[in-house]
Structures are given as structure tokens and as C-alpha cells.
Amino acid sequence: MFHEFCNHIPSLSSWIEACYSCQSNLLMGNHSVLSCCGVQQGDPLGPLGFALTLQPIVDLIQSEVPGLSINAWYLDDGTLVGSPNDLVSALEIIEREGPKIGLHLNKSKSLLYIPPNVDESINPLPSAIPVVHQGFSLVGCPIGPPEFCEIRVDKIKVDKIKLSLNLLHTLQDSQAQTILLRSCLALPKVVSVLRKRYHSVDNRTVNKKNQKKIGRNIEKAMKKA
């Protein structure tokens, strides 16, 4: 990470070295744990440091596997689209180069999407990588047939908002409740759900249904508070 900051953003390299050249102590009650690996959670420069560290691997994939249709990354969420052979080549690069900079692929958290009409026997990737056929979520956004997307948005996203709103009154602190409702649980959640767009003739109807459902739960939470 120090090397990448020196190369790309030298004006920040001294600050990063001051922050990360020594292991910091994480306090857990009366216990202290050394932070020895990765960037600090909550550090505003942490995502940038991770992205700069990962970028050489992304560039290497781009140059050595030019046949990929998509080689896109948002921090540690990578999306690779291409032929079976190209996917194998990209995976080999990740597993070869990642450990050199402290990055290790978690195959169980990876995902291979094979459309329903494609023979699964062509799958060349390790069996430890789960395979799905109906659809998947990319950075929280469902991608797949309309039925799959509606279920993901309605049952998972909206129900999570409902659960959080139902617990709001347990804080017994009106100021904390108001801050959370305004900044986390109300409008941002609604916008997040409504921005989950997918190809469906019923998209507007589904979004209106979710909007009404969230609105009812916000009203209930306000009454409990």
C-alpha cells in the first residue's frame, strides 16, 4: 500500500506511513489487540488504500485476459464476465498475485452465474465456488428475471427495513431515534430500495408497493417512539 501511494498520490504517502507504519492497538474492554493486517475500519483513506493496492491485479487481468467482456471492481467486489477459459485465467492471476500483497480469495463468498439454459458441465472453476442459475445480487442490486428481483427487493430489502424500524423504539432515546430515522432508516433506505431497477413491465408497480410498505412501517415506528 505504501508503494502504491508513493507512486500515485505522493502527497499523501507521508501521512499514510505515519498512520500505518506501526501496529495500532484495538481496545476491547480491558483487553488490547494489535491491528496487524489491512486498513483500519473507519479510516476515510482506508477504501482508497485498498483500491490502490488492488489496482495492479485488476490491470494485470485486463492486460493478460483481454477477452473478458467485463473486468469491473468496487473495492473487493469484483465482476468478471467472459468465456470459461478467460474466467479460469483471471482466477489464476488473482490467486497467484493476491497473496503477495496480503489479499486472499474467499471462494465460498464468490459466485458463478450460469444462465438456466446453459449446460452446467462447462463450469471450469473450483467446486468451492457456489453456482447460481436464477439470478444474483451485485453491490446490493438484484440482477436476473423479474420474479427473482421482486423477491430480493421485497422480501430481503424491504423486510430488513421493517425489522430495523420495529426495533427503533427500544432505544428509548428520542434524539437517537430521530437521528437514526432521518439519516439511516427512513429516506436513505427508501431511496436505496427504489433505485433497485430491473427490466420488468411491473417495475413502477413494484416500486410503489415497496414505497407504501416502507411508509406504513415508518408511521408505525413513529407512533411507538
Side-chain angles (χ1 to χ4, degrees):
M1 183 174 70
F2 297 150
H3 177 74
E4 297 302 327
F5 266 102
C6 286
N7 282 343
H8 299 286
I9 315 178
S11 59
L12 286 176
S13 59
S14 296
W15 174 254
I16 292 297
E17 188 173 353
C19 292
Y20 287 100
S21 58
C22 298
Q23 298 171 352
S24 57
N25 290 298
L26 304 179
L27 303 179
M28 299 177 60
N30 296 325
H31 302 280
S32 178
V33 179
L34 285 176
S35 176
C36 305
C37 183
V39 295
Q40 290 280 2
Q41 184 174 2
D43 178 6
L45 288 176
L48 176 60
F50 181 88
L52 286 176
T53 304
L54 179 65
Q55 190 61 43
I57 296 180
V58 179
D59 293 340
L60 189 61
I61 294 173
Q62 190 67 35
S63 62
E64 293 193 5
V65 196
L68 287 173
S69 300
I70 295 177
N71 174 29
W73 295 75
Y74 177 76
L75 298 179
D76 60 343
D77 285 317
T79 302
L80 303 172
V81 177
S83 68
N85 289 336
D86 284 341
L87 293 178
V88 169
S89 298
L91 182 63
E92 289 175 349
I93 292 173
I94 294 171
E95 294 192 304
R96 182 184 75 235
E97 302 296 328
K100 296 178 182 178
I101 54 176
L103 301 178
H104 301 269
L105 179 68
N106 187 339
K107 293 186 179 68
S108 64
K109 289 188 176 181
S110 303
L111 196 67
L112 174 64
Y113 173 68
I114 300 179
N117 57 340
V118 176
D119 185 5
E120 189 174 339
S121 63
I122 68 169
N123 176 14
L125 300 185
S127 59
I129 297 180
V131 178
V132 296
H133 299 282
Q134 295 303 316
F136 59 96
S137 291
L138 180 61
V139 197
C141 182
I143 298 176
E147 298 80 10
F148 171 82
C149 295
E150 183 174 348
I151 290 173
R152 295 289 295 185
V153 170
D154 191 34
K155 298 297 182 182
I156 297 179
K157 301 296 181 182
V158 178
D159 285 355
K160 280 186 177 180
I161 297 174
K162 179 180 178 181
L163 178 61
S164 299
L165 288 169
N166 286 339
L167 293 174
L168 192 63
H169 73 282
T170 60
L171 290 175
Q172 297 182 357
D173 183 328
S174 58
Q175 186 172 4
Q177 291 170 347
T178 302
I179 292 174
L180 286 174
L181 186 62
R182 181 182 60 195
S183 305
C184 304
L185 301 178
L187 184 58
K189 290 285 188 179
V190 174
V191 172
S192 176
V193 170
L194 298 183
R195 289 184 65 184
K196 301 300 188 272
R197 297 177 180 273
Y198 48 88
H199 296 293
S200 169
V201 294
D202 297 324
N203 187 42
R204 293 183 179 179
T205 302
V206 172
N207 278 344
K208 286 182 179 179
K209 180 183 69 173
N210 288 331
Q211 190 175 13
K212 290 179 179 179
K213 186 175 182 180
I214 295 171
R216 287 195 298 268
N217 285 296
I218 291 176
E219 185 178 355
K220 290 178 181 178
M222 293 293 289
K223 289 179 178 179
K224 287 183 180 179

